[in-house]
Amino acid sequence: MTPTTTIAIILLPGMDGTGELLKPLAERLSANRPTQIIAYPLDRPLDYDQLATFVSERLPRDPFVILGESFSGPIAIEIAATDARVAGLILASSFARHPLPAWLSHVASLLDLRWLPSNLFAAMIMGRMAKPELRLQLKDVLRSLPAAVLQARARDALRVDKRDRLAETTCPALCVHGSSDWLVGRRQIAEILAARPDCGRCELDAPHMLLATHAEAAAAVIDDFCRRLECN
């Protein structure tokens, strides 16, 4: 069946909020559809509700698919639960409820991801086979982020629970995750599927940051999801 429309996709970045690491994915997706990355402000910490408002003010007028990567999954869920223009929801390496114990939120203000050895941190979220240039890009992105912004986002991610809001969404949904993701595991996937039993699921042989490390494979999965919506 020939698609009757070409649907746009909105990409919401992970905790860094810059969207820099999503550019290779966006380039591939833009070959077939309008693609927009919405980066977050770096000059001030914004909580999940404030970021949802920030995103809402920058969305296109026509129907779109919204993708939330990791930290941004709860934002994408909130948008999908409130905006009738959302034609599809994709949660990539993400969660509806905090992926780590909530008590860690009390010490989030004492932590700084930039303290971790860059190679160790890159291996944790990108896998040991990540290209050197990608590891260097991650290091540069983290250096550009104010500590207060990172700490606020970590604190919010360790408190969030959008399972009820996810259950209220009615648009088609897809959960994309990596088989070697140490941060978002089986429990988080099960919680998403419990809230939305009809949610599709795609597991890639990839680490947490699969959208950056496996951009081509991820783009194929995302584009297939969008094409199915276009044909309905």
Side-chain angles (χ1 to χ4, degrees):
M1 182 181 297
T2 302
T4 56
T5 60
T6 301
I7 195 165
I9 183 159
I10 306 301
L11 305 177
L12 305 184
M15 189 174 290
D16 66 280
T18 65
E20 289 297 318
L21 295 164
L22 293 181
K23 287 184 175 179
L25 173 69
E27 182 178 358
R28 288 169 170 80
L29 291 172
S30 64
N32 296 316
R33 66 193 63 262
T35 304
Q36 178 185 356
I37 299 173
I38 299 182
Y40 304 147
L42 296 181
D43 59 341
R44 61 194 186 281
L46 298 178
D47 62 25
Y48 269 128
D49 289 340
Q50 292 170 323
L51 285 171
T53 299
F54 180 88
V55 170
S56 294
E57 294 170 348
R58 289 158 177 79
L59 294 172
R61 294 181 179 180
D62 296 325
F64 56 88
V65 170
I66 190 162
L67 179 151
E69 180 194 24
S70 189
F71 167 83
S72 287
I75 301 171
I77 290 171
E78 185 63 30
I79 299 295
T82 57
D83 195 320
R85 294 170 296 176
V86 177
L89 167 67
I90 302 176
L91 299 175
S93 303
S94 196
F95 46 88
R97 184 171 74 104
H98 51 85
L100 298 174
W103 63 264
L104 288 173
S105 66
H106 299 297
V107 297
S109 60
L110 304 176
L111 302 176
D112 191 335
L113 295 177
R114 297 170 300 180
W115 293 344
L116 292 175
S118 58
N119 288 339
L120 173 62
F121 185 62
M124 289 168 62
I125 63 175
M126 289 186 167
R128 297 189 179 278
M129 302 303 292
K131 294 180 180 179
E133 56 268 30
L134 191 56
R135 291 171 178 255
L136 180 60
Q137 186 181 18
L138 173 64
K139 184 177 181 179
D140 290 341
V141 165
L142 290 176
R143 282 178 174 176
S144 72
L145 300 175
V149 170
L150 273 177
Q151 290 163 351
R153 289 176 185 167
R155 185 169 57 250
D156 289 345
L158 290 167
R159 294 173 176 171
V160 72
D161 190 343
K162 292 286 185 179
R163 288 176 294 175
D164 289 346
R165 295 297 277 164
L166 179 57
E168 294 172 7
T169 62
T170 58
C171 64
L174 174 66
C175 173
V176 183
H177 61 100
S179 59
S180 57
D181 188 339
W182 70 271
L183 180 59
V184 175
R186 302 293 176 181
R187 178 177 69 83
Q188 287 74 42
I189 305 305
E191 289 174 346
I192 290 172
L193 297 177
R196 279 291 306 269
D198 61 336
C199 179
R201 177 182 177 184
C202 178
E203 180 176 284
L204 299 178
D205 182 14
H208 182 65
M209 291 190 65
L210 62 87
L211 297 183
T213 61
H214 293 66
E216 185 172 353
V221 171
I222 294 165
D223 197 51
D224 180 67
F225 176 78
C226 293
R227 287 182 184 275
R228 291 174 183 272
L229 296 178
E230 291 165 349
C231 291
N232 290 335

